[in-house]
Amino acid sequence: MRALSLLECFGPGRSRLSLSQLARSSALPLSTAHRLVQDLAAWGALERDEDGRYRIGARLRQVASMADHDVPLSRHALPLMSDLAQRTGHTVLLAVLQGTGIVFLEHVIGSKAPFRPRPEPHLILTTAAGLLLSAHADAATLGRILEEHLPPAAPPGTSLPDAAALGRELARIRRDGHSSTSRSTHPYYTAVAAPIRTAPGAPVIAALSEVGVAAHADPRGRDAPMSPAACLAAAAGITAALSGS
């Protein structure tokens, strides 16, 4: 509870506070405030700026954003996800960032690609949805994602890219407006992902991902080549629904 009293110190006109200001405002001893601030900063609830003052951290803002948007997000997304899965036969996923990992809020299983997402947040850099969310994360969050999930040199034969290749891929995703990958956690599948926002031009809050059978796993060509067009259209529809809600 004492840590929460530190967070309550922030408000309009009080977005950046020094350690001494936090201690005074929370009526905590300076040593106690210092220890709690360090714990909050380590988790990502607070960030220290170049002047040594503290502000609300990216991870806490992200958690608050998820709490605000998860219910209407799922409500507006599921009808369009179901339609996309029915038309394409692909599995459709709805994903958000949680800390430095990825969480799948909803999924609709397709008839041609019965992929089921694995509840493993650390797979963020090996999925189309995770790459898209990483590409649109704020600088602090992206830095923590890379620090926690990208080794200095990816071992040979793994699905992780090196830092330079990943940087180019994230830049391409921001430029093209979607992600795609055959470097999934299952070699049988390939995927594309498109951004979902609360309104056109607003920050990305979620990723819509379409998962199909990889070409090498479908020698008879029964499945159409994966294209981002349908996924982008569905994601735009969800954004429009959110902006009008």
Side-chain angles (χ1 to χ4, degrees):
M1 293 301 293
R2 290 185 298 177
L4 294 179
S5 70
L6 289 171
L7 297 178
E8 289 178 337
C9 297
F10 295 90
R14 295 174 59 83
S15 60
R16 297 167 65 248
L17 299 172
S18 67
L19 178 61
S20 59
Q21 287 174 315
L22 286 166
R24 286 196 302 271
S25 297
S26 61
L28 291 172
L30 186 61
S31 59
T32 301
H34 180 265
R35 176 174 55 81
L36 293 173
V37 163
Q38 295 306 304
D39 289 343
L40 290 168
W43 184 83
L46 293 178
E47 294 173 350
R48 191 178 183 185
D49 63 20
E50 60 278 4
D51 297 327
R53 294 177 181 271
Y54 292 91
R55 61 193 175 197
I56 296 297
R59 187 174 182 184
L60 184 57
R61 293 196 303 271
Q62 183 180 38
V63 170
S65 175
M66 288 171 59
D68 288 342
H69 298 302
D70 279 0
V71 173
L73 174 59
S74 293
R75 184 175 70 246
H76 289 303
L78 277 170
L80 288 162
M81 291 172 64
S82 298
D83 177 71
L84 181 60
Q86 184 174 8
R87 287 189 291 109
T88 64
H90 297 155
T91 289
V92 183
L93 313 172
L94 179 66
V96 296
L97 277 178
Q98 188 173 71
T100 60
I102 184 173
V103 173
F104 294 100
L105 297 179
E106 307 287 353
H107 65 273
V108 179
I109 303 298
S111 58
K112 296 180 182 178
F115 173 82
R116 293 185 181 276
R118 294 157 59 181
E120 300 181 56
H122 69 276
L123 301 176
I124 187 166
L125 296 180
T126 60
T127 61
L131 288 168
L132 185 134
L133 291 169
S134 297
H136 290 283
D138 61 77
T141 301
L142 178 57
R144 288 194 294 272
I145 290 171
L146 300 182
E147 181 179 357
E148 294 181 23
H149 300 292
L150 186 67
T158 66
S159 59
L160 286 172
D162 59 38
L166 180 62
R168 292 192 295 270
E169 186 165 9
L170 297 181
R172 180 196 62 76
I173 290 169
R174 288 188 289 269
R175 182 187 68 243
D176 294 348
H178 68 272
S179 64
S180 61
T181 182
S182 57
R183 194 179 62 249
S184 69
T185 56
H186 194 301
Y188 187 78
Y189 297 105
T190 186
V192 297
I196 296 172
R197 310 169 191 269
T198 55
V204 173
I205 63 163
L208 184 71
S209 183
E210 182 184 350
V211 182
V213 177
H216 67 81
D218 186 29
R220 297 183 182 179
R222 291 168 295 179
D223 199 8
M226 182 68 69
S227 166
C231 189
L232 283 164
I238 297 170
T239 295
L242 287 170
S243 65
S245 62

